[in-house]
Amino acid sequence: MASDLWLSQVAIVISLVGMSLGWRGVMTKYSGFYDLTRAWSMMCWGILVGGLYGSLGDSFLLTTYLAGGFPHFTNLIICLGLSVVVHLFLRRKKVRRTGSQPTTGWALGLAVGGMISLFLIFRLLEKYQGDIGIEVVAIILLVALISPRAHALIFCRHGYGMLMGKRWSIVLRTFFWTSLLLTSLYNSVDSPFIWIFIIPPVLLAEKRAHDWVWAAVPRPARRRLRRIWSDASRAKAREEE
């Protein structure tokens, strides 16, 4: 019991660090120019949804993978349910009124991905607690960094698709990517080479994420943001001279 408590605390800390790092970059670049209150509110909802999602994945998928079995179509059912829930959250009136579906989706995905990483890191620590080598540490770090950010990118793209007028087609797209991501994350426990197929799509999506978040910034705010960037660029150029 004491050992499990210690392992869970370590998993919580590592996953929280991964979530905080997932906020940096895209979201911090546009900080103050989107509905930040709604985004933080969605983080709380994401922890609840992610807790349920992570628990179901742990019970019906991860433990089966670790035991060397195949979970059949359970993954599809869980991820389809998640995609529908994400869509329902992003189509709420308060979110649609401000056009903040992409940034709200990012916050929601960050929390959901963080909870997935929490359960997965706990199982990794539990399985290898007597023999934690460099490879296991590397997998734990990758899970903590990639899971929150990958889910954030998927849900941000979902919100952007809703801004572009897409409805249930974007649900199917999210369902496809979350199913693929969850399966890959769980299989990476015993097959680390799978990270070769996870990291490149995340990096490619990262480049597109700026366009998705930019769409959530109100037009008047875009002009102010461009002026701020321009002033900062000129100030940096003067410092370098």
Side-chain angles (χ1 to χ4, degrees):
M1 181 62 71
S3 176
D4 287 347
L5 181 59
W6 181 83
L7 293 178
S8 64
Q9 289 175 338
V10 173
I12 290 171
V13 170
I14 296 174
S15 61
L16 286 176
V17 171
M19 288 170 60
S20 64
L21 292 175
W23 192 267
R24 295 179 178 274
V26 177
M27 293 293 276
T28 52
K29 182 178 181 180
Y30 302 92
S31 181
F33 292 90
Y34 56 85
D35 191 351
L36 186 59
T37 303
R38 194 68 51 206
W40 278 112
S41 172
M42 202 54 60
M43 284 283 288
C44 297
W45 282 108
I47 291 174
L48 293 176
V49 173
L52 177 61
Y53 179 52
S55 178
L56 291 173
D58 180 73
S59 300
F60 296 102
L61 300 174
L62 183 55
T63 52
T64 304
Y65 281 123
L66 293 175
F70 184 74
H72 303 292
F73 299 104
T74 311
N75 180 26
L76 302 181
I77 297 172
I78 294 174
C79 291
L80 180 59
L82 175 68
S83 302
V84 173
V85 169
V86 170
H87 189 75
L88 294 176
F89 269 112
L90 297 185
R91 72 186 299 271
R92 295 171 64 188
K93 185 177 180 180
K94 293 180 180 179
V95 177
R96 288 187 286 111
R97 187 175 62 239
T98 57
S100 60
Q101 289 97 324
T103 52
T104 303
W106 185 286
L108 181 64
L110 204 61
V112 170
M115 297 306 293
I116 287 292
S117 67
L118 190 158
F119 281 93
L120 183 49
I121 291 170
F122 174 79
R123 292 301 182 189
L124 282 167
L125 293 172
E126 184 181 49
K127 181 177 181 180
Y128 297 105
Q129 59 180 310
D131 185 28
I132 298 180
I134 296 177
E135 182 178 321
V136 177
V137 172
I139 294 175
I140 289 174
L141 293 176
L142 285 171
V143 169
L145 293 173
I146 297 298
S147 179
R149 204 164 192 90
H151 281 88
L153 288 166
I154 294 172
F155 294 178
C156 181
R157 179 63 180 86
H158 189 121
Y160 177 75
M162 293 179 70
L163 276 182
M164 297 298 103
K166 297 179 181 179
R167 294 185 179 180
W168 294 108
S169 63
I170 198 65
V171 174
L172 295 177
R173 183 192 294 264
T174 299
F175 160 64
F176 171 78
W177 285 112
T178 51
S179 300
L180 192 61
L181 176 62
L182 192 64
T183 302
S184 300
L185 287 172
Y186 286 168
N187 276 283
S188 68
V189 174
D190 292 321
S191 304
F193 73 89
I194 288 179
W195 288 106
I196 299 174
F197 302 98
I198 298 176
I199 296 176
V202 172
L203 295 178
L204 291 173
E206 183 84 13
K207 296 180 179 179
R208 299 292 306 279
H210 291 277
D211 296 332
W212 305 336
V213 174
W214 179 257
V217 178
R219 292 187 181 277
R222 294 180 187 180
R223 291 193 292 269
R224 296 197 304 273
L225 189 54
R226 288 193 184 99
R227 286 198 297 269
I228 292 173
W229 288 345
S230 179
D231 294 341
S233 179
R234 284 195 294 267
K236 183 178 180 180
R238 285 196 298 268
E239 291 176 358
E240 292 176 351
E241 291 178 352

